Amino acid sequence: ATTIQLDENDKKILYHISVGTKTKDLEKHIELSLSSIENRKRHLKSIFDTEKENDLALILAAKQRGFI
């Protein structure tokens, strides 16, 4: 099994998406630019194998693996 390493910003992105924060509002909670946040979200979707799916699928996959 591969171990997934997430930094604090990745964890914050997952958390805020899971509580319903819209991507465009994430800048208010995380000290990154919107483009950086979007890049990290794309990266998270590839890590959790949900590239072709929506944010809900990402959150469910992260929850299943114990990240949220």
Side-chain angles (χ1 to χ4, degrees):
T2 57
T3 54
I4 298 171
Q5 295 289 320
L6 300 181
D7 70 9
E8 279 307 304
N9 286 324
D10 290 336
K11 290 175 186 172
K12 286 180 185 174
I13 290 169
L14 287 173
Y15 169 76
H16 284 292
I17 294 170
S18 76
V19 295
T21 305
K22 296 191 177 347
T23 299
K24 64 182 172 64
D25 296 327
L26 288 175
E27 278 182 298
K28 297 172 189 164
H29 305 283
I30 302 164
E31 292 183 25
L32 292 171
S33 68
L34 187 56
S35 63
S36 293
I37 290 170
E38 287 170 343
N39 284 336
R40 281 175 175 261
K41 233 172 91 174
R42 260 192 303 281
H43 181 69
L44 286 166
K45 284 185 176 186
S46 75
I47 289 173
F48 289 106
D49 202 29
T50 57
E51 297 100 327
K52 307 239 183 303
E53 301 178 62
N54 61 13
D55 290 353
L56 179 61
L58 171 62
I59 295 309
L60 291 174
K63 275 187 179 172
Q64 284 174 338
R65 292 183 177 89
F67 286 96
I68 299 175

